Amino acid sequence: MRIAPAGLMFLAITSVGWGFNWPVTKFLLAELPPLTLRGVTGVLGALLLAAFALIRGQSLKVAPGIWPRLVVAGLLNVTGWMVLMGLALLWLPASEAALIAYTMPIWASIIAWPVLGEQPTLLRTIALVMAFAGLASIMGQNGISASEAKLPGIVMALGGSIGFALGTVFSKKFPIHLPPITAAAWQIGIGCLPVAIAGLVFETTHLEQVTPIGWVLLFYSTVVQFCIAYVSWFAALARLPASVAAIGTMAVPVIGVATAAIALHEPLGAGQIAALIFTLAGVALATRG
């Protein structure tokens, strides 16, 4: 499948939107519980997308045969990702969670080979090896004991990463023939509704404790993360091979680590810098191949 320039543009928009959202979510978790934060903002984002689709004259109607694909894609791409990554941030700094989460391209490339016939090229293989090296540098710098203390967060981040990889390949294998905005609205709504319900049932939310900057960041999380970035992701996935789209998202942890260091004062030492170099180089190689 040809690498379309428009696909790379949408991929860049996705990476920026999701990258900034890692430190945003880490900050908001100090003011709101994880399931409520991820679920309610997602449902609001889905409603905004649905309204925008109607304003543009797009129908929200879904053919009966498309519903199973929407549900599976929503559960893999949204529900699992939102829940597991939101919980992982309770144990991990935003920078480490982002880097573990974006081992996703590795799993997507492995799954896409037998399922989609996307045999890895030499450049894409080198990109994946470099990603492993970057992950090893970021996780190895604090020693084994630190990793053991963070084990629940590491397991959840890896689980969300593998689930999103499955969703990426599934969406290529069984494409959802809907306009990008409509497809995003339904997938985000389906994926976030059970998360929001679980949050409202099992968590206690104190909106009066949300600071003014927290409300601004909630707006970002709702509009940019869910509306703009997710629509761009589905548009990119429609125009790029699954493995290239997945590897391209490795710019997300680069942005996440850098912004977390600036905004949250998380450490940015030699290990993190090595990881950033490896992931950026991997993205550059993947988009050439």
Side-chain angles (χ1 to χ4, degrees):
M1 182 178 180
R2 187 176 65 89
I3 297 179
L8 296 178
M9 179 195 69
F10 284 120
L11 193 57
I13 294 171
T14 301
S15 296
V16 172
W18 285 350
F20 285 155
N21 198 63
W22 281 96
V24 166
T25 301
K26 184 69 175 180
F27 179 92
L28 288 173
L29 282 172
E31 301 187 358
L32 293 168
L35 298 181
T36 301
L37 169 63
R38 307 286 268 183
V40 173
T41 53
V43 171
L44 291 175
L47 292 174
L48 287 174
L49 282 175
F52 185 58
L54 292 175
I55 291 172
R56 289 174 55 90
Q58 296 180 4
S59 173
L60 296 176
K61 185 177 181 180
V62 178
I66 299 295
W67 277 112
R69 300 183 183 187
L70 272 177
V71 172
V72 173
L75 292 175
L76 290 173
N77 289 326
V78 183
T79 306
W81 181 261
M82 292 293 114
V83 172
L84 292 173
M85 293 307 168
L87 293 175
L89 284 169
L90 297 177
W91 280 274
L92 298 173
S95 55
E96 290 187 13
L99 284 164
I100 296 171
Y102 283 91
T103 58
M104 182 270 286
I106 299 165
W107 318 122
S109 295
I110 292 172
I111 298 167
W113 191 351
V115 175
L116 302 176
E118 292 185 8
Q119 185 171 352
T121 65
L122 177 60
L123 288 178
R124 292 178 200 172
T125 302
I126 293 173
L128 293 181
V129 172
M130 295 174 74
F132 267 123
L135 179 63
S137 71
I138 192 69
M139 293 308 299
Q141 64 175 325
N142 293 326
I144 297 175
S145 60
S147 294
E148 288 177 351
K150 299 172 183 176
L151 184 60
I154 293 171
V155 170
M156 289 180 185
L158 281 173
S161 176
I162 294 171
F164 198 92
L166 285 169
T168 298
V169 175
F170 177 86
S171 296
K172 293 297 293 186
K173 181 70 172 179
F174 304 103
I176 298 170
H177 298 294
L178 291 171
I181 296 174
T182 302
W186 279 115
Q187 288 186 65
I188 294 170
I190 291 169
C192 287
L193 183 59
V195 181
I197 293 173
L200 294 174
V201 171
F202 297 110
E203 296 176 338
T204 301
T205 302
H206 299 284
L207 291 178
E208 70 278 3
Q209 296 181 1
V210 180
T211 61
I213 192 173
W215 286 110
V216 173
L217 296 179
L218 279 171
F219 176 84
Y220 178 93
S221 187
T222 301
V223 175
V224 178
Q225 180 200 195
F226 284 109
C227 296
I228 298 175
Y230 259 105
V231 169
S232 297
W233 168 246
F234 294 131
L237 194 56
R239 293 167 171 82
L240 299 171
S243 56
V244 172
I247 295 172
T249 61
M250 291 168 70
V252 173
V254 174
I255 298 169
V257 169
T259 53
I262 296 170
L264 304 178
H265 307 292
E266 293 187 358
L268 187 62
Q272 288 94 337
I273 292 172
L276 302 190
I277 293 172
F278 279 120
T279 50
L280 280 176
V283 170
L285 285 175
T287 55
R288 288 171 60 88

